[in-house]
Amino acid sequence: WQEPDDRCVLGADDEITGRWLRQGRVEIFAEDEQPTPKFELPTSNFQPPTSIFPLRATRLGFSLREGMAAGAFLRGEELLLRLPSQPERVICRRETIRLRGMHNVANVLAACILASIAGAPPEAMAEVAATFEGVEHRLEPVRVLNGVLWVNDSIATSPERAVAAIKSFDEPIVLLAGGRDKKLPWDEFARLVHRRVRHLVLFGEAAERIEGAIRGSEFVIRNASAVPTRTMNYALRTHR
């Protein structure tokens, strides 16, 4: 349904979408319980894609790691925009972005591509990057109490989101984590907690699963400690 006059914006640093960007086609693989096409293959361990189709639209990439022939990227401390048939332009410097975290720098790069397609100039993009404070529940500063910054990141309901949030802080972290158990893998989260979190408070259905990942991690617990509890309200009352 896409045509050459359309635009397709893809993250170059992601293993999956980066491959789509470079190869110019989408490959979607089935999960274990989903049906896959039957092929006569020379090796039995090859998993064919469930769906594959070309990307006919003009592909634009964004990256924190490398320059883009067409798209937006971080070079040193500058965010740059490079679009077809247009000169390379500086959007802003990284330290001027109001939002925390490198994942939000990537979000700004993607947003700038879309804004440029809609006709916005780099000056307007820079102004928004320097003033936009984010939305509720996404690394939302709540208050400073007794010298401690409380941050609400309750939108982070998957390990990947929690990892991105933890990486956004240089300060010592007391992390309240848990909620519904979605049977997700917590291994990467556990490794990062051992490196970056001073105290971990667990609650809800997922507490036991997360605690198991923490205690089963290959890293030895040093300065971090994990305390299971019952509910968010209880955690807030007892671990100030």
Side-chain angles (χ1 to χ4, degrees):
W1 58 90
Q2 291 185 327
E3 299 299 333
D5 289 339
D6 296 323
R7 304 291 187 271
C8 179
V9 180
L10 296 166
D13 300 336
D14 182 82
E15 179 183 357
I16 296 174
T17 58
R19 185 170 61 247
W20 296 354
L21 177 68
R22 291 186 293 271
Q23 296 180 352
R25 66 176 184 271
V26 170
E27 297 175 348
I28 300 175
F29 291 84
E31 297 296 333
D32 292 340
E33 298 180 359
Q34 293 176 316
T36 59
K38 300 299 182 182
F39 295 99
E40 293 295 331
L41 299 171
T43 57
S44 59
N45 61 353
F46 178 81
Q47 184 185 21
T50 304
S51 300
I52 181 169
F53 55 87
L55 289 170
R56 292 192 294 269
T58 299
R59 302 189 302 278
L60 302 169
F62 60 95
S63 174
L64 300 173
R65 304 173 187 168
E66 59 182 299
M68 295 284 98
F73 55 96
L74 181 67
R75 179 195 291 157
E77 293 298 309
E78 291 184 330
L79 280 70
L80 300 173
L81 184 67
R82 183 187 292 161
L83 297 179
S85 303
Q86 296 185 23
E88 180 178 292
R89 292 173 289 177
V90 176
I91 303 167
C92 65
R93 292 187 61 82
R94 183 171 68 90
E95 66 266 22
T96 64
I97 297 175
R98 189 72 177 268
L99 300 175
R100 277 183 177 262
M102 292 303 294
H103 68 292
N104 274 321
V105 177
N107 288 337
V108 170
L109 290 170
C112 287
I113 297 175
L114 297 172
S116 67
I117 294 171
E123 295 78 11
M125 303 175 200
E127 181 180 354
V128 172
T131 57
F132 180 61
E133 298 180 349
V135 297
E136 290 183 338
H137 314 304
R138 297 186 180 185
L139 289 178
E140 175 191 7
V142 177
R143 66 180 299 188
V144 176
L145 179 64
N146 298 326
V148 176
L149 173 64
W150 289 75
V151 178
N152 174 8
D153 195 45
S154 54
I155 196 68
T157 57
S158 69
E160 294 82 4
R161 287 183 170 188
V163 164
I166 294 171
K167 289 180 177 179
S168 301
F169 291 87
D170 296 322
E171 303 91 334
I173 299 172
V174 176
L175 179 64
L176 280 65
R180 296 296 300 272
D181 185 3
K182 299 180 179 180
K183 309 297 190 297
L184 298 173
W186 291 91
D187 299 335
E188 181 184 1
F189 172 88
R191 291 191 291 269
L192 185 62
V193 163
H194 281 288
R195 294 196 301 268
R196 303 286 291 274
V197 175
R198 176 174 294 181
H199 191 67
L200 176 65
V201 181
L202 302 173
F203 61 91
E205 293 178 6
E208 184 175 353
R209 181 179 296 272
I210 298 173
E211 184 180 9
I214 295 292
R215 299 197 183 281
S217 171
E218 62 191 65
F219 288 85
V220 177
I221 295 180
R222 299 185 187 276
N223 297 323
S225 60
V227 178
T229 185
R230 295 189 291 272
T231 65
M232 170 68 85
N233 288 334
Y234 183 83
L236 289 171
R237 290 198 308 271
T238 57
H239 296 279
R240 286 186 177 181

